[in-house]
Amino acid sequence: TAPSEILCLTFTRRAAEEMRARIAQRAGGAAKKITISTFPALSLDLLRSHPSAAERQNGFSVWDDDTQKKEIRALIKQHPLAT
């Protein structure tokens, strides 16, 4: 199997970094060709590569919880019936 055909997934960045370090120790330079990622990061990469699959346009944004709350509050304040 070619290194570029290998996918390693985990749930946390810390675990991905540890996996990357361990694989680099054993595989040397070939480790750079292996995709090592978290599920969320890989999902975002796939969505950015194929936004129409999720009915999005190129360059879409993903907001963290704080940004979402801030934007919702701003929209509510703009509504004519907001109190």
Side-chain angles (χ1 to χ4, degrees):
T1 302
S4 61
E5 296 176 352
I6 298 172
L7 171 63
C8 300
L9 289 174
T10 187
F11 290 99
T12 66
R13 279 186 238 141
R14 185 175 181 180
E17 290 168 9
E18 184 176 330
M19 220 188 309
R20 191 173 289 111
R22 289 182 181 191
I23 291 170
Q25 284 178 339
R26 291 176 176 83
K32 292 180 181 180
K33 296 180 182 179
I34 297 172
T35 300
I36 303 170
S37 185
T38 63
F39 284 97
L42 180 65
S43 299
L44 184 57
D45 287 345
L46 290 171
L47 285 172
R48 293 212 185 277
S49 298
H50 308 284
S52 62
E55 299 180 3
R56 298 288 174 252
Q57 297 178 358
N58 286 335
F60 68 90
S61 295
V62 177
W63 291 348
D64 62 19
D65 289 344
D66 290 336
T67 303
Q68 290 177 42
K69 290 174 187 174
K70 185 175 104 178
E71 291 297 322
I72 289 172
R73 283 188 199 111
L75 288 170
I76 289 171
K77 286 180 184 178
Q78 293 174 10
H79 193 278
L81 300 176
T83 56

